[in-house]
């Protein structure tokens, strides 16, 4: 067996409409449709049938913060250049979404933030693919601060 790519992510969310404002309206995912009497919604970036499924669970306990087992964050490619990342930073600021970190990973550059349910989201752009194609270990390069 060989994995081809990560297909989709499913998040349990407190409020489906709040999460749609974040993922659909702010980050630009396209809503495919709702199921489970409107308590779940599928979204896509256009790459495949759906990359994200949100399921409303109301006031169920949130995962603990800090180090823990389970999902750390998801990465979402939002463009192809640092200008795209700068634009995203401005849009997040305008929407009142705090940026919790900015990193240069050599093979990509990233902004970090939390969604409405405190899931960590990485918004990134890739550096020139020749960097990792010529040197696959570049993905393990020390993380540097990113200044935009």
């Amino acid at each position: 067996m060989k994995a081809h790519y990560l297909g989709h992510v499913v998040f349990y969310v407190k409020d489906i409409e709040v999460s749609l404002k974040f993922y659909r309206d702010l980050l630009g995912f396209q809503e495919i449709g709702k199921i489970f009497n409107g308590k779940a919604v599928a979204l896509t970036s256009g790459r495949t049938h759906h990359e994200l499924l949100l399921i409303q669970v109301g006031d169920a306990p949130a995962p603990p913060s800090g180090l823990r087992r389970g999902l750390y964050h998801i990465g979402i490619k939002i463009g192809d250049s640092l200008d795209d990342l700068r634009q995203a930073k401005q849009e997040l600021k305008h929407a009142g979404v705090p940026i919790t970190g900015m990193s240069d990973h050599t093979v990509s550059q990233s902004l970090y933030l939390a969604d409405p349910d405190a899931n960590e989201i990485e918004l990134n752009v890739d550096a020139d693919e020749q960097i990792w194609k010529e040197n696959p270990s570049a993905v393990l390069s020390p993380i540097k601060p990113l200044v935009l």
Side-chain angles (χ1 to χ4, degrees), residues 33-52:
K34 293 182 179 174
I35 56 174
F36 306 144
N37 295 320
K39 298 295 184 186
V41 62
L43 301 145
T44 184
S45 69
R47 182 184 59 83
T48 188
H49 46 79
H50 80 287
E51 288 119 332
L52 187 59

Side-chain angles (χ1 to χ4, degrees), residues 19-146:
S19 292
L20 280 172
K21 286 179 185 170
F22 181 81
Y23 287 102
R24 181 191 59 206
D25 302 342
L26 180 61
L27 297 188
F29 280 90
Q30 176 187 350
E31 182 177 335
I32 297 303
K34 293 182 179 174
I35 56 174
F36 306 144
N37 295 320
K39 298 295 184 186
V41 62
L43 301 145
T44 184
S45 69
R47 182 184 59 83
T48 188
H49 46 79
H50 80 287
E51 288 119 332
L52 187 59
L53 180 67
L54 307 173
I55 302 172
Q56 182 172 296
V57 296
D59 286 322
S65 61
L67 292 177
R68 64 197 179 280
R69 291 183 182 150
L71 183 66
Y72 174 19
H73 71 260
I74 65 167
I76 301 169
K77 182 178 177 178
I78 54 130
D80 296 310
S81 71
L82 286 176
D83 285 339
D84 293 328
L85 209 55
R86 284 184 192 95
Q87 179 65 36
K89 182 181 176 191
Q90 290 304 313
E91 290 176 29
L92 293 166
K93 181 179 178 181
H94 184 261
V97 176
I99 295 171
T100 58
M102 299 192 321
S103 298
D104 180 344
H105 299 282
T106 303
V107 297
S108 65
Q109 291 76 39
S110 305
L111 302 174
Y112 293 88
L113 52 133
D115 78 359
D117 294 288
N119 296 301
E120 185 171 302
I121 307 299
E122 174 187 359
L123 303 179
N124 70 301
V125 297
D126 289 333
D128 183 346
E129 67 182 24
Q130 286 305 110
I131 294 170
W132 60 267
K133 283 186 174 181
E134 291 175 8
N135 178 14
S137 66
V139 73
L140 305 174
S141 298
I143 298 169
K144 301 173 285 298
L146 177 65

